[in-house]
Amino acid sequence: MCGIVGAINHHNIVPDLLQGLSNIEYRGYDSAGIAIANQAGLITVKRQGKLQCLRDQLSQNKLRSYVGIGHTRWATHGKPNEANAHPHSTAEVSVVHNGIIENYLTLRQWLCAEGFNFSSDTDTEVIPHLISYFLHQGESPRAALCHALSKLEGAFALGVLFRDDPEHLYAVRRGSPLVIGQGDQGLCLGSDTMALPAYIDRIMYLEEDEIACLSADSFELTDQHGKVITRTMQAFSADQSAQQTHTHQHHMHREIHQQPETIRDTLRHTRRSLSDLPFDFNRLERLHIVACGTSYYAAMIAKYWFEQIARLPVDVDIASEFRYRAPLLSQQGLSLFISQSGETADTLAALRYADTLGQKTGGIVNVAQSSIARESRFHLQTHAGAEIGVASTKAFTAQLVVLATLAVYAASCRNQHTFTENYQLQLDLTALPGLAAHALTLEGHCKHIGQSLKNCKNAFFIGRGAHFPLALEGALKLKEISYLHAEGFGAGELKHGPISLIEQGVPVFVLAPKNQLLEKTLANMEEVAARGARCIVLGEQQSLQNLPAHIETLQLPEFESPFSPILYAIALQLIAYHAALALGTDVDQPRNLAKSVTVE
Ligand code: F6R
């Protein structure tokens, strides 16, 4: 979602701002801009569309400055056009903003009555006008900023630059994450650590309602009443390699191919963390798992594992629904919040809600310093490394690995298995990295299938058991990056309505692992094949061996295990990737999507 950068330095910061914006392009955006302060006052340059449009504009301006802010905007209030792009500036102050100002309409009305003219439809524009209002009353920049903050309602992170205080850059956090960084060449700020330049070797995340005032060599942290806060920065080294696609055409392709390694790393780290878990699975009555999107599908798959393997009851919720259904949470329960970014606004709000109900809370996140990691009572990290492609791939399978490892551990804590059964599940987990590498060798076949979807309008995915939520994930992956309409269904549900959508040649992906549901899944396949569907069955050799010749197949590695959805996920990712490639969409930054969804 929207991204913030800022820098104050002894050298020209314009290249740093552009590099920072380029590093956070992956978050998803539809316009970009920067503001700098120099002898001419505040200069704001912004453009609708990709960062290249802003770069082209700046190459004509040859701007230079020691201090500046920048932003990539993902439209919420007002269209994605130049007027609505950030920074929003008055003559005296420029602001970049992530989040939402909830009382902006009231403030805007009042400021208009005071004679301020608005030029955008955004909620953000009230902020510079409000600060200007207090500057006009004779307040200092810092006092005017604090005064304005006291009037704002909502969640936000701000970078603020004053014409008459170019020796300082201000950063404010309320609800939305913001990090400041320091290195030998100066200080900077960013909405995440990816935004920070390579020379940064120390960082600090701002806490709620803190204001950081940065100069080129130091910073001061205060609360909104000016009280100084003392906190030391942590050492930091940027993962520059994540920004490169290396030999791959897209980040998504690279990330799909990193899975043998990310699964191995996540498995190793999760196994090590089990003895430190601050609760006892044996005493747990119920598990609640809350997440959004792909992370929610990981939770749905895990429900099958916890219930079947560990006999632990599980409720799964979409985070945006969780709080509003007044859930009945077991006092002897645990609520787990899954989020790759660790910043998803709905998941974070759900976590805070569960906390107020006195629940034990845990996070499963990929970003160790994220808000969900910091606010849950404990967290487990997926060791997927930075995920840049908007569509989640390696983070999803890493989430599944954490959940599978937890489910097996829960089973042994709850004495659900004999030693031999538990040993077999451990062997299954250990086999995953090698099997994932095997699944990647199917790319040629997946490419062929993906390309064949080019002229389709619809595609369907069906599965049973833990492969039902995987069918939902397969459909999500395909639709979000290729823009083809795709839906997933429980295979047994088709005849209760969706089968009316089946017509001649429509592709139906049938997830058919060799397990006790295979016969039933294949019977569901027959129902759609009989109505003209083009069935593509994914399964192991034994699932596929007796299928009629007109049924297409994709043979997965032999793995008769509850954890086989992890391998099927890789094949579905490759099919979606190649379909998108054939359709010529922007694979890494699909339209309208953001990597980190920080608004509810
Ligand atoms: C889809 C995708 C999204 C995210 C969802 C939650 O490929 O990536 O559906 O899974 O926005 O994001 P996190 O996991 O960061 O909370």
Side-chain angles (χ1 to χ4, degrees):
M1 214 140 243
C2 304
I4 290 179
V5 299
I8 180 159
N9 228 315
H10 293 296
H11 63 239
N12 177 23
I13 47 74
V14 174
D16 286 352
L17 295 182
L18 283 174
Q19 185 57 52
L21 291 177
S22 163
N23 291 352
I24 54 174
E25 274 191 290
Y26 79 97
R27 291 169 69 102
Y29 68 103
D30 35 52
S31 59
I34 65 165
I36 56 147
N38 64 19
Q39 312 83 307
L42 291 177
I43 302 174
T44 304
V45 184
K46 41 198 197 175
R47 280 287 173 273
Q48 182 183 343
K50 289 287 177 191
L51 195 51
Q52 192 54 41
C53 307
L54 179 68
R55 272 200 208 98
D56 292 345
Q57 179 64 29
L58 287 170
S59 65
Q60 294 164 25
N61 294 20
K62 299 276 181 286
L63 286 184
R64 290 183 62 81
S65 174
Y66 300 121
V67 60
I69 50 180
H71 194 261
T72 45
R73 173 175 186 256
W74 186 85
T76 56
H77 292 66
K79 288 194 170 134
N81 59 25
E82 192 169 315
N84 291 333
H86 298 211
H88 287 281
S89 308
T90 62
E92 302 94 358
V93 59
S94 273
V95 174
V96 286
H97 166 218
N98 282 1
I100 288 183
I101 306 301
E102 286 166 2
N103 59 337
Y104 83 101
L105 281 174
T106 320
L107 290 171
R108 187 170 168 135
Q109 232 169 14
W110 175 70
L111 285 160
C112 285
E114 291 292 326
F116 288 86
N117 293 320
F118 282 75
S119 52
S120 79
D121 303 319
T122 63
D123 54 334
T124 304
E125 201 185 350
V126 297
I127 308 172
H129 285 309
L130 197 55
I131 298 173
S132 281
Y133 172 84
F134 292 117
L135 288 171
H136 296 174
Q137 310 290 308
E139 296 187 7
S140 68
R142 186 195 285 258
L145 172 61
C146 291
H147 210 152
L149 292 175
S150 71
K151 306 280 180 209
L152 298 178
E153 289 167 17
F156 48 83
L158 307 176
V160 185
L161 181 62
F162 290 94
R163 179 192 63 195
D164 298 331
D165 189 12
E167 305 295 310
H168 296 113
L169 178 59
Y170 293 84
V172 181
R173 178 207 162 126
R174 186 186 296 164
S176 295
L178 201 59
V179 61
I180 60 172
Q182 185 166 14
D184 57 356
Q185 296 179 39
L187 278 94
C188 57
L189 59 96
S191 42
D192 68 43
T193 52
M194 293 273 202
L196 306 180
Y199 58 79
I200 294 303
D201 55 17
R202 280 154 284 164
I203 59 161
M204 178 192 286
Y205 278 88
L206 297 191
E207 298 291 349
E208 286 299 279
D209 281 321
E210 285 181 345
I211 302 177
C213 172
L214 314 184
S215 64
D217 304 303
S218 62
F219 72 95
E220 186 183 63
L221 198 62
T222 59
D223 68 13
Q224 293 189 17
H225 309 290
K227 187 166 164 256
V228 175
I229 298 166
T230 316
R231 204 164 62 242
T232 43
M233 289 189 144
Q234 315 158 14
F236 173 74
S237 91
D239 180 5
Q240 297 295 317
S241 73
Q243 298 297 339
Q244 318 293 331
T245 55
H246 297 265
T247 52
H248 299 267
Q249 196 178 341
H250 293 100
H251 285 291
M252 183 181 176
H253 192 254
R254 176 169 181 240
E255 288 160 3
I256 291 172
H257 278 265
Q258 285 175 323
Q259 290 177 106
E261 188 189 330
T262 54
I263 289 173
R264 183 177 294 109
D265 288 351
T266 303
L267 186 58
R268 193 178 65 240
H269 284 282
T270 312
R271 279 176 163 161
R272 277 195 203 141
S273 340
L274 293 174
S275 53
D276 297 331
L277 290 176
F279 64 92
D280 181 354
F281 267 117
N282 201 21
R283 290 165 181 262
L284 224 56
E285 272 178 0
R286 206 166 188 90
L287 189 58
H288 307 270
I289 317 184
V290 183
C292 299
T294 289
S295 300
Y296 170 70
Y297 295 143
M300 281 178 79
I301 291 172
K303 176 180 166 75
Y304 287 86
W305 293 339
F306 279 109
E307 293 191 339
Q308 286 171 359
I309 300 173
R311 306 303 297 153
L312 175 61
V314 178
D315 294 322
V316 179
D317 272 272
I318 295 176
S320 53
E321 294 292 325
F322 179 66
R323 285 173 296 160
Y324 306 112
R325 73 170 179 87
L328 299 170
L329 303 180
S330 156
Q331 280 316 304
Q332 299 308 316
L334 167 74
S335 293
L336 273 182
F337 300 83
I338 308 179
S339 173
Q340 181 281 131
S341 60
E343 301 296 348
T344 301
D346 280 315
T347 312
L348 184 56
L351 160 64
R352 289 174 178 159
Y353 173 77
D355 210 34
T356 61
L357 298 181
Q359 274 280 291
K360 283 191 265 312
T361 58
I364 296 180
V365 297
N366 198 38
V367 181
Q369 285 156 327
S370 58
S371 302
I372 291 178
R374 286 181 291 130
E375 293 193 29
S376 41
R377 301 211 189 155
F378 75 95
H379 76 271
L380 292 168
Q381 197 188 343
T382 47
H383 288 262
E387 192 177 64
I388 307 288
V390 161
S392 189
T393 52
K394 61 176 181 171
F396 173 64
T397 50
Q399 289 166 348
L400 290 178
V401 168
V402 171
L403 291 160
T405 312
L406 277 181
V408 176
Y409 178 65
S412 71
C413 295
R414 296 164 72 84
N415 297 318
Q416 288 302 324
H417 284 132
T418 63
F419 175 80
T420 319
E421 285 164 334
N422 198 276
Y423 185 67
Q424 182 54 50
L425 290 168
Q426 293 293 355
L427 286 182
D428 287 356
L429 290 174
T430 307
L432 278 169
L435 290 166
H438 186 162
L440 288 169
T441 64
L442 303 175
E443 178 154 16
H445 195 166
C446 294
K447 180 176 177 179
H448 175 75
I449 297 173
Q451 288 175 337
S452 75
L453 301 180
K454 192 173 169 188
N455 298 318
C456 297
K457 295 242 171 323
N458 301 299
F460 300 104
F461 293 73
I462 61 172
R464 283 175 173 261
H467 286 76
F468 156 49
L470 187 67
L472 302 180
E473 167 61 9
L476 175 62
K477 214 83 307 170
L478 181 63
K479 71 183 136 194
E480 70 178 326
I481 61 167
S482 73
Y483 315 153
L484 285 177
H485 174 243
E487 295 299 330
F489 298 105
E493 271 296 289
L494 283 178
K495 53 190 162 295
H496 299 288
I499 204 163
S500 63
L501 295 169
I502 300 299
E503 54 189 11
Q504 196 61 35
V506 68
V508 178
F509 289 89
V510 183
L511 309 183
K514 188 179 172 304
N515 60 23
Q516 73 281 13
L517 296 170
L518 176 63
E519 302 299 322
K520 292 190 189 304
T521 308
L522 293 180
N524 299 137
M525 177 207 73
E526 294 288 1
E527 290 158 6
V528 287
R531 288 162 178 82
R534 170 190 167 201
C535 290
I536 304 147
V537 184
L538 281 67
E540 295 90 31
Q541 200 238 335
Q542 280 190 34
S543 317
L544 307 178
Q545 63 193 0
N546 295 324
L547 293 180
H550 65 276
I551 301 289
E552 293 172 49
T553 58
L554 176 65
Q555 189 178 324
L556 274 292
E558 293 306 308
F559 189 43
E560 201 178 330
S561 160
F563 310 128
S564 66
I566 296 174
L567 302 187
Y568 283 62
I570 295 174
L572 295 177
Q573 293 163 0
L574 285 168
I575 291 170
Y577 173 78
H578 285 289
L581 211 59
L583 283 153
T585 55
D586 188 346
V587 174
D588 281 338
Q589 290 168 29
R591 69 181 177 208
N592 303 337
L593 290 180
K595 185 70 186 162
S596 176
V597 182
T598 49
V599 292
E600 288 181 29

